């Protein structure tokens, strides 16, 4: 999919997918009784062209998820993900256009700009709350 558009238009387009189909989180990985934290952004969609466009314009990873054997009505889906500094740079580009995920983007900025001695656990827990599915009280 080729879009002849300005950077501003591309970033606003990407922000729309982030708002509607994306997830911004702080991942926690445990290794030898120590926790490591990292920024992770993922967008899923059933249209492979969209995911390929994100990958071409913002780098990151690109994968397909096969149809579910349990639910035959489920469509093939694709995902794009980006981590750490490249994820931070992506969020800086789309921030001004984000509406639904604005709080998560701001939390990601705070996480990436935290002091070295801050472990990241509080950011991890906050993203879990913001990303919880279901009806919010």
């Amino acid at each position: 999919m080729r879009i002849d558009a300005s950077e501003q238009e591309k970033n606003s387009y990407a922000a729309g997918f982030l708002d509607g189909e994306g997830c911004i989180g702080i991942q926690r990985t445990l290794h030898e009784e120590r926790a490591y934290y990292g920024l992770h952004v993922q967008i899923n969609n059933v249209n492979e062209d969209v995911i390929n466009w994100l990958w071409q314009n913002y780098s990151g990873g690109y994968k397909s998820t096969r149809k579910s054997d349990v639910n035959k009505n489920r469509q093939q889906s694709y995902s794009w993900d980006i981590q750490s500094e490249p994820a931070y740079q992506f969020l800086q580009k789309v921030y001004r256009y984000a509406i639904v995920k604005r709080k998560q983007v701001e939390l990601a900025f705070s996480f990436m700009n935290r002091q070295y001695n801050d472990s990241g656990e509080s950011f991890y827990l906050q993203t879990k709350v913001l990303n919880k599915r279901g009806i919010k009280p």
Side-chain angles (χ1 to χ4, degrees):
M1 181 166 82
R2 180 162 164 70
I3 298 176
D4 291 322
S6 68
E7 284 301 305
Q8 180 179 355
E9 290 169 325
K10 287 179 184 180
N11 291 337
S12 65
Y13 184 70
F17 278 102
L18 179 66
D19 273 348
E21 307 287 340
C23 180
I24 302 166
I26 308 301
Q27 288 186 318
R28 178 176 63 183
T29 305
L30 300 174
H31 181 70
E32 295 180 4
E33 298 184 22
R34 180 162 180 195
Y36 297 89
Y37 300 89
L39 176 60
H40 182 252
V41 176
Q42 184 174 37
I43 297 175
N44 299 300
N45 201 280
V46 296
N47 186 317
E48 187 177 16
D49 290 339
V50 169
I51 300 303
N52 188 41
W53 179 85
L54 288 163
W55 176 70
Q56 289 175 346
N57 285 276
Y58 300 100
S59 72
Y62 171 2
K63 64 184 174 188
S64 65
T65 306
R66 66 185 175 96
K67 287 178 132 179
S68 171
D69 292 330
V70 176
N71 186 349
K72 301 293 184 198
N73 293 327
R74 189 172 200 166
Q75 292 185 52
Q76 174 82 29
S77 65
Y78 305 89
S79 65
W80 170 80
D81 61 64
I82 194 165
Q83 298 178 25
S84 302
E85 187 64 29
Y88 179 61
Q89 292 170 4
F90 168 74
L91 292 175
Q92 287 177 315
K93 291 177 182 178
V94 301
Y95 171 70
R96 67 184 298 193
Y97 311 106
I99 298 168
V100 177
K101 298 287 193 306
R102 184 168 287 269
K103 286 182 182 177
Q104 288 93 326
V105 174
E106 290 170 351
L107 186 62
F109 290 164
S110 295
F111 170 76
M112 292 299 285
N113 293 312
R114 74 192 188 285
Q115 298 298 316
Y116 180 74
N117 59 356
D118 186 343
S119 73
E121 182 69 17
S122 65
F123 295 98
Y124 167 75
L125 294 172
Q126 289 177 68
T127 59
K128 285 186 66 102
V129 170
L130 288 172
N131 292 334
K132 186 174 182 180
R133 291 184 181 190
I135 298 171
K136 307 226 189 280

